[in-house]
Amino acid sequence: MAPAWLTPRRATVAGLALLLAALWLVFPSGFYFRIATLVWISALAAVGLNLLMGLAGQVSLGHAGFVGIGAYAVALGPRHLGLDLLPSLGLGLVLAGLLALLVGRPILRLRGHYLAVATLGLGILVWLVLNSEVAITGGPDGIQVQRLVLVGWRVAGAETWYWITGLALVLGVLVALNLEESPTGRALRALHDSEVAAAVAGIDVARAKLAVFVIAAVYAALAGGLLALFNRFVTPQAADFLHSIELVTMVVIGGMGSSLGAVVGAAVLTILPQALTVFHDYEHAVLGLTIILFMIFLRQGIVPSLAALLARRAP
Amino acid sequence: MSRRLFAALLVGAAALTFGPSPAGAQAPIRIGAVLSVTGPASFLGDPEARTLRLYIDRINQAGGVLGRRLELVLYDDGGDANRARTFATRLVEDDRVVAMVGGTTTGTTMAMIPVFEEARIPFISLAGGIEIIEPVKPFTFKTPHTDKMACEKIFEDLRKRGLTRVGLISGTGGFGASMRTQCLRVAPAFGITIVADERYGPGDTDMTPQLTRIRNAPGGVQAVVNADFGQGPAIVTRNFAQLGLGVPLYQSHGVASRSFIELAGPAAEGVRLPAAALLVAEQLPDSDPQKRVVMEYKQLYESTQNQPVSTFGGHAYDGLMILIEAIRRAGSTDGVRIRDAVRQTRGFIGTGGVVNMSETDHMGLDLSAFRMIEIRNGTWRLLD
């Protein structure tokens, strides 16, 4: 039996931190650190999206748009506004949050999946602007990002970024888990079961949903900013519609409503294409097949399904 | 005597006894490639991948390079810059390639450059954008003509015909956007005035409004230049004929494939474009230095791949051959020595033109590499 202080919340965060340290010990080359860094970054966006999908029961089909805003903020802030990288990143987060507020405020008053439609349009709009405003954004060929310098220390190398993004993810998961236990989180879970009942109990349904949507957008923008700083190059593909779908797939495969599931989903979708290169021309077919198999046999998502399986096995 | 040295001597003795050592006796030379074989740029990446596989096999059958077999490590980035960057890291750190050919689009190439520059591994890109080689980066090269050269070739032809007032219409995709920027930049040097600058999106199906605005440009227009590839130029060409603008229409090297003529139909008659010699291989005079190379490549590609040759596969051929010759000249697989040898490439005859690299020019092509071509009777005619 686990000791009383080891709540599931603390166990998840501690487990992630342990994983971070353990992988660091076994990884043989920078390539592995790069893959892991990409997993942490995608996971950060997925954890945010999972809050929206798992808690508020809303889907965002344009989440990559927020990723794009974060990514282009660090690319364009220093270039056009003369800002340093970190203030630019901050500006990107604020911008993404404000945009989410603007879009979410009228729409989340309605019941149903109107947010999915609105975000779909929003994501495509962001992508369009990044693509066509060549003079500002560099257009479809992308744009370079300055190297991050923190108090005289030039941040370089996949290993360094592995730690930075890994710690950002641990913090992100911690915040997400705390949010689930907060009044907003409890309110959201209540309205997930029955919106009418929640409203009757005095919960401002629209406000709670809006809060979580804004938070999810900020998570995505942070992921985008980190991606741009890590790659030191961004293209509008960061905001691509298919990238939005990829994020939703990560959440669904990993297990909706589970922050750990979002991390696992991000890991699966990032590592699989690398592992499947041995299939050469059949790579995409095998990738699709694997995802279909996951959906058929682990219908609740990887983490909840396996957790249920373990709970059944346990005496 | 250590056992390993003894084994090496034994192998050496066997080699002397049985003649030249068969390729593959030593570890193979690994050459990396990250191409957009799938995704929106697959019409570029697919012939590139086929060409690399085809020629690496042939070189191995002929005994390899430096007595060693070649091994191609090819990854498909699907046109995504982030994925290309990951595969580039994998090539450098995991597969330990000695050199790299590929990078189908300017976006994927720009994302991969820092990886190879940091690892000091020669990288020959197959993408068009001029920012790949300007400013010059120590280990980065490219084989295709730049969009700037396409603009210059078109403007040169316009100047010959005494036309100066040009309407520009370009797609908002990577290729069109980049070429538009370059054309606007070099136009003054040729005495060309851009009197209209119209754009259209990737999914647009009717460009009549843009062309009408060009026709109505104040002061009149003497020629129209279209910068784009894929479906867009075919639609522009058709709308252009329907409107009856009555001035010459120029396309870019981006339409240099059969499908453009098929899509545009009779409207394509009289359209001019700059393109590589490969497109008009049969029409080149026998005195042309490129004739033999382009005919050989065309025949081999078409007989083995059962599809018409494209200039894009030709870029991969040029990149691979420049690299192989450099490795032979360097006599080594050391990154810096290969790079130095690539840089010393002089008078290399490829499908894209005659390549003369230098410390300041990592592409090595001049305007003579482009041929001005006109579409007549549904086929390409060489003009100069």
Side-chain angles (χ1 to χ4, degrees), chain A residues 104-110 188 191 195 203-213:
Chain A
R105 215 178 135 80
I107 285 176
L108 286 171
R109 292 180 174 281
L110 308 169
L188 282 167
L191 70 88
E195 240 172 74
I203 293 169
D204 187 343
V205 174
R207 197 189 162 82
K209 281 187 192 170
L210 185 61
V212 128
F213 179 49

Side-chain angles (χ1 to χ4, degrees), chain A residues 24-95:
Chain A
W24 177 66
L25 289 174
V26 299
F27 276 166
S29 75
F31 167 61
Y32 291 83
F33 283 108
R34 178 176 166 86
I35 294 287
T37 305
L38 290 176
V39 170
W40 305 150
I41 291 173
S42 294
L44 195 59
V47 165
L49 185 59
N50 175 57
L51 287 175
L52 182 69
M53 290 171 66
L55 276 184
Q58 292 285 334
V59 183
S60 166
L61 290 180
H63 227 54
F66 298 118
V67 175
I69 289 174
Y72 272 84
V74 296
L76 303 180
R79 191 174 292 247
H80 296 298
L81 304 175
L83 290 173
D84 277 338
L85 283 170
L86 289 181
S88 303
L89 179 61
L91 186 69
L93 302 188
V94 172
L95 217 65

Side-chain angles (χ1 to χ4, degrees), chain B residues 48-62 70 72 293-301 304-305 313 316-318 320-321 324 351:
Chain B
E48 289 166 0
R50 286 168 182 267
T51 302
L52 290 184
R53 289 204 189 103
L54 176 64
Y55 276 88
I56 292 233
D57 276 351
R58 275 176 62 92
I59 292 166
N60 281 337
Q61 277 161 20
L70 293 180
L72 178 69
V293 173
V294 293
M295 284 305 290
E296 267 178 24
Y297 172 68
K298 185 182 159 85
Q299 278 157 6
L300 182 68
Y301 187 92
T304 53
Q305 308 297 315
Y317 169 88
D318 295 354
L320 181 65
M321 290 306 161
I324 300 295
T351 62

Side-chain angles (χ1 to χ4, degrees), chain A residues 115-126:
Chain A
L115 187 72
V117 182
T119 49
L120 176 69
L122 179 72
I124 290 175
L125 273 178
V126 171

Side-chain angles (χ1 to χ4, degrees), chain B residues 7 40 81 129 253 266 305 324 355 367 382:
Chain B
H253 51 311
Q305 308 297 315
I324 300 295
V355 179
L367 271 195
L382 181 63

Side-chain angles (χ1 to χ4, degrees), chain B residues 76-295:
Chain B
D76 171 20
D77 60 37
D80 180 48
N82 185 34
R83 213 178 300 163
R85 175 74 170 253
T86 304
F87 281 127
T89 316
R90 186 170 177 177
L91 285 176
V92 167
E93 306 215 356
D94 232 41
D95 301 315
R96 307 211 164 264
V97 297
V98 304
M100 155 89 176
V101 177
T104 299
T105 68
T106 305
T108 58
T109 297
M110 293 309 286
M112 291 192 285
I113 284 176
V115 178
F116 294 101
E117 286 293 331
E118 220 156 275
R120 299 164 75 79
I121 288 174
F123 171 22
I124 303 184
S125 167
L126 308 178
I130 195 163
E131 60 262 47
I132 296 168
I133 48 154
E134 253 176 40
V136 172
K137 299 155 195 77
F139 288 84
T140 308
F141 301 85
K142 76 190 271 307
T143 55
H145 322 82
T146 61
D147 31 28
K148 176 168 164 245
M149 290 169 65
C151 298
E152 289 171 341
K153 187 76 185 177
I154 291 172
F155 291 160
E156 196 183 71
D157 197 58
L158 284 171
R159 190 160 60 178
K160 258 188 248 165
R161 298 168 87 176
L163 307 172
T164 57
R165 301 181 59 80
V166 171
L168 184 62
I169 176 165
S170 50
T172 51
F175 183 92
S178 172
M179 183 165 165
R180 170 180 170 267
T181 314
Q182 295 301 330
C183 282
L184 290 176
R185 192 174 296 168
V186 299
F190 289 82
I192 301 281
T193 319
I194 304 289
V195 294
D197 176 19
E198 293 292 331
R199 296 202 278 162
Y200 55 85
D204 291 6
T205 52
D206 182 45
M207 283 60 145
T208 315
Q210 286 94 332
L211 288 168
T212 310
R213 277 200 293 275
I214 288 179
R215 183 174 61 183
N216 298 339
V221 62
Q222 294 175 318
V224 175
V225 176
N226 184 198
D228 197 12
F229 63 65
Q231 298 259 0
I235 300 170
V236 168
T237 306
R238 284 179 161 223
N239 291 161
F240 185 87
Q242 285 155 6
L243 283 176
L245 262 73
V247 296
L249 174 64
Y250 284 80
Q251 289 289 351
S252 69
H253 51 311
V255 307
S257 69
R258 258 317 312 161
S259 57
F260 170 71
I261 299 184
E262 281 158 16
L263 282 172
E269 284 301 302
V271 169
R272 286 190 179 189
L273 63 142
L278 188 57
L279 200 62
V280 285
E282 284 92 353
Q283 294 170 39
L284 294 175
D286 287 334
S287 59
D288 194 297
Q290 276 186 271
K291 172 101 179 179
R292 195 179 57 81
V293 173
V294 293
M295 284 305 290

